[in-house]
Every structure is written in C-alpha cells, then in structure tokens.
Amino acid sequence: MASTKDWFETVAEAQRRAKKRLPKSVYYALVAGAEQGLTLSDNVAAFDELGFRPHIADLPAVRSQSTTVMGQEIDFPVVISPTGVQAVDPEGEVAVAKAAASSNIQNPLNPDQTVSTAMGLSSFASRSIEDVCAVNDKVFFQVYWAGSRDDILARAMRAKAAGAKALIVTLDWTFATRRDWGSPPIPEKMDLKAMLQFGPEAIVKPKYLLDWVKTGKLPDLTTPNMAAPGQDPPTFFGAYGVWWTSPLPTWEDLAWLREQWGGPFMIKGITHPDDARRAVDAGATAVSVSNHGGNNLDGTPGSIRALPAIADAVGDQIEVLQDGGIRRGADVAKALALGARACMIGRAYLWGMAAQGERGVTNVISILYKGIDEALLGLGKNSIHELSRDDLIIPENFTRNTSKI
C-alpha cells in the first residue's frame, strides 16, 4: 500500500509531512537535541548497525505482540512516551491518548478487538491529567523533580485520583543554556508580542493556522498538571523555572516517593548499570533506558547501545524499557531481542500528530505494529517473548563498552 493523501507508509514520511505543515519554530522544537546533536543522531543510527538472522519455512501463521508494562496489559510492546507542551495540534495529548486507546488496528488474535496501548502523560503537558484519563484508562503520569517533596507528591496524588495507573520520574534532563541543538526560540506565552514575532511563520503554513482558527483558541503554552490547587497553571517556562531551581533529587528522595505513591513506579533516564541497580534498591517497578531523545548529556551513546548492560544487570528483577530512536517496527523487535520488555516512542507519534492529528498518531501506531509483526514472521517467532540476541547480528563493540561504565 503506497502513501496517499490520508495515509503515510513510514515514520520518515510522517516527519516530512510534519515539516511541511508546521511553522518552522514548532517543527524545529520537535527535532532539536543537545549541543552537537551527537547523541540525538546515534539514537537512530545505532539501530542500523544491528542485523537480523531470519528463517524461511515453518513460519507461524499468527504472531502475538501482547505484554504487560507496570501492571497494564497492552496489545503491542510500544508505550507512548511523555512529552511536554504539544502545540502541533489543537487536541494535543487528548488526541494521542485516544489513538493509543483505540488504534483501529484489528488484533489478529482477537478480531473483535482493536490494538491499544498505554499513554505516558507529562507533567508539562498542555492537557490535564483529568482530560487524558477520561479517554484512556492506561495512563502513566510523569513528573520531574520540580519543587518540594510536598509539591511533587501533590501532583502525583492528583494524577492517581484522576485514574493514573503508574508514575514515571524523569531524571535524564539536565539544564544548560547552550544545549538544545537546533532548537528555536519559544515564547513564554501567546500574547500580542509573540503573535507579531511568530505570526509570519504561521501565515505561510495555512493548514496549521486554520486548524487552530477553527478551535477559536491559540496554542496553549501553560502546564495545567503543574498547577497547585486554586492557582492558575504556570507557563511552560514557569514550570521549567521551578524544576531548574529545585534541589537535585537523591536516591533517598526517590525511595520516599516510591513508598508514598504505593503503585507501579518507573525511573526514566537510566544508562548506567549502577543506576539501574540503585533503582531496584529504591523499589522501582521499571526503568527506562533513555537519554531524553538526545536532550541530555551530549556524547552519551544511543540508548539502544546501553540496553544490553542494563538488561543483564537488572532484567531479572525489574521491567526494562527502551526509549530513543524508534522509527520502525524492526527497531522495536531489535530492542526486545536485546532485553527490553517494551519500547517508548516520542518524536514518532508527534510527527504523526503534526501530519494528521489523532489519525496520524493511529497511522504511526499501525506502522510500528505491522513492522513488529513482519519481524516476528521473518524470524519465525510466535511471540515477542521468544525474541533473543540469537536473532540479531551484533557488530563487535556495538555497546561501546557501556557495560563497563
């Protein structure tokens, strides 16, 4: 099936359509990375170094992709990664949550059901936890270590009351003004000054502008999930300032939050085996092997390179997820073969939403689901749980000695 006006066949095509539709500043905010962009590039390039060892006969007629992540049953091993304020579509995170909850992809093992998965929601999101939980019952709420212990716990408890099933603590994002390679200026809020500055970009992207005009509102740069009771939500940079000026968390802090939360708990940003072991000691349910999509310490190897060492260190004690560089279903299969339970996607679904709203997110989910199925077929596997390193051709020093760091 070739790409059409209403359908794209690859995530790369979604990215091209996103670039065509979005104002320049909005698009470049989606593709930026830290400093030189070395980690950003390696997140994607590392997957290309891994090859498959396929079979050609006695292949399974039907393949299973179902698994569980932090207590939630999902129909395929990809979870929506939490990303901050989304100005790429008026529906923002609600559109993403709807697509994740019901992708319109028929489940081959149960034709009466469609494929669904879990949604990670950022505390810096533009839509509230209540709005998102209303359309998806498998939401994982994400927090930064921003503010006091009481502030952080209040946000977490609000999310739990709204229906969030798990908590994600993101630690793979450090502040430095010289970072954000390729990132454009972003306004504090959409006031008259900002409209005069960024208006010319929007005028030359009429479809994007028309979608917002139809809603009668401007892109929302506030963060409702960071608001204290009875207060107006801060702007993105207001929330960012709270995080930037907060004392850095300790392992004791993380263990405290895990105990207070009392449910499934992920620590996101693990690339060092020692940190993975400390996460186990802190009581975490899961870790995400991640470098914040190349927006943390530049020069860190692509996250897929760090995955085997983390899986070897703690994979029998904790759920290990991989986040970064996923562009096709084959990438997911490679990560699972190296020890991940599931993968998390960020830019891929944002490009899909930028290209075509909720339908574009569904399109990306379909691309990944079918790509995983094709990999299982080619490798002769009945299930994603049968994937192993024996299915891969792994070049020497692929991991860049990450097991020794």
Side-chain angles (χ1 to χ4, degrees):
M1 176 179 175
S3 294
T4 67
K5 173 176 170 290
D6 298 321
W7 183 264
F8 43 85
E9 279 293 280
T10 66
V11 171
E13 176 64 20
Q15 182 180 359
R16 287 191 289 270
R17 294 188 185 192
K19 185 175 184 179
K20 183 177 180 180
R21 176 178 173 269
L22 294 177
K24 180 174 66 175
S25 293
V26 179
Y27 174 74
Y28 281 107
L30 298 185
V31 298
E35 298 191 287
Q36 288 182 266
L38 300 175
T39 300
L40 174 69
S41 298
D42 197 45
N43 269 349
V44 177
F47 280 99
D48 295 339
E49 297 178 21
L50 295 168
F52 286 123
R53 294 160 51 89
H55 294 283
I56 60 168
D58 290 332
L59 304 180
V62 181
R63 285 76 56 189
S64 172
Q65 298 189 34
S66 63
T67 190
T68 59
V69 172
M70 293 200 286
Q72 298 303 303
E73 295 183 0
I74 55 177
D75 294 321
F76 84 128
V78 176
V79 173
I80 299 297
S81 194
T83 61
V85 171
Q86 296 176 2
V88 299
D89 183 85
E91 286 299 302
E93 294 84 0
V94 168
V96 179
K98 288 179 178 178
S102 181
S103 64
N104 296 322
I105 306 165
Q106 189 180 61
N107 187 332
L109 299 180
N110 190 342
D112 294 330
Q113 294 182 353
T114 58
V115 170
S116 66
T117 192
M119 161 84 179
L121 178 70
S122 175
S123 56
F124 283 10
S126 61
R127 298 297 297 267
S128 73
I129 181 67
E130 291 81 9
D131 286 348
V132 172
C133 284
V135 297
N136 189 316
D137 64 356
K138 297 175 182 177
V139 175
F140 303 155
F141 184 65
Q142 175 269 350
V143 296
Y144 293 104
W145 201 265
S148 67
R149 277 187 171 190
D150 288 344
D151 294 333
I152 296 164
L153 183 59
R155 291 181 204 118
M157 291 301 112
R158 172 187 167 188
K160 179 175 281 191
K165 300 299 193 299
L167 191 67
I168 301 173
V169 182
T170 295
L171 299 179
D172 56 339
W173 193 24
T174 55
F175 178 82
T177 55
R178 69 185 177 281
R179 290 186 177 153
D180 286 332
W181 170 84
S183 182
I186 300 174
E188 170 74 11
K189 57 183 177 180
M190 288 305 294
D191 54 14
L192 179 60
K193 179 181 178 181
M195 286 188 283
L196 291 174
Q197 179 182 357
F198 292 94
E201 291 185 19
I203 289 172
V204 298
K205 302 292 184 177
K207 188 175 186 306
Y208 174 85
L209 183 60
L210 181 61
D211 286 344
W212 283 98
V213 168
K214 288 177 180 177
T215 69
K217 59 185 181 182
L218 296 170
D220 191 352
L221 302 181
T222 61
T223 55
N225 298 313
M226 290 288 289
Q231 293 184 352
D232 292 332
T235 64
F236 174 80
F237 283 107
Y240 193 89
V242 172
W243 163 76
W244 175 28
T245 57
S246 299
L248 297 174
T250 65
W251 286 108
E252 182 183 355
D253 287 325
L254 297 173
W256 167 84
L257 183 58
R258 165 68 179 90
E259 182 178 358
Q260 296 297 315
W261 169 256
F265 186 90
M266 175 190 288
I267 296 178
K268 180 177 179 291
I270 301 290
T271 58
H272 197 301
D274 287 350
D275 286 343
R277 297 183 187 98
R278 295 297 297 270
V280 172
D281 293 341
T285 310
V287 294
S288 173
V289 181
S290 170
N291 51 48
H292 212 93
N295 281 284
N296 198 28
L297 182 61
D298 200 26
T300 303
S303 58
I304 191 65
R305 299 191 195 278
L307 173 62
I310 305 300
D312 288 346
V314 301
D316 60 345
Q317 304 170 71
I318 197 171
E319 296 176 10
V320 177
L321 282 80
Q322 188 273 338
D323 188 336
I326 298 294
R327 299 293 183 269
R328 51 189 62 83
D331 296 338
V332 178
K334 291 172 182 178
L336 269 56
L338 290 178
R341 176 181 287 261
C343 293
M344 302 176 77
I345 58 168
R347 287 184 173 91
Y349 79 79
L350 289 172
W351 290 329
M353 181 165 60
Q356 216 147 15
E358 179 186 340
R359 185 167 55 180
V361 180
T362 296
N363 197 153
V364 166
I365 291 173
S366 176
I367 290 168
L368 297 179
Y369 183 87
K370 292 175 181 177
I372 297 167
D373 187 63
E374 290 161 3
L376 291 176
L377 176 62
L379 294 169
K381 304 297 182 181
N382 291 288
S383 165
I384 56 171
H385 301 290
E386 296 178 0
L387 292 167
S388 73
R389 294 178 195 180
D390 288 341
D391 297 310
L392 301 180
I393 301 168
I394 306 172
E396 186 177 357
N397 199 31
F398 170 75
T399 62
R400 301 293 193 266
N401 293 321
T402 53
S403 60
K404 297 180 180 180
I405 60 175

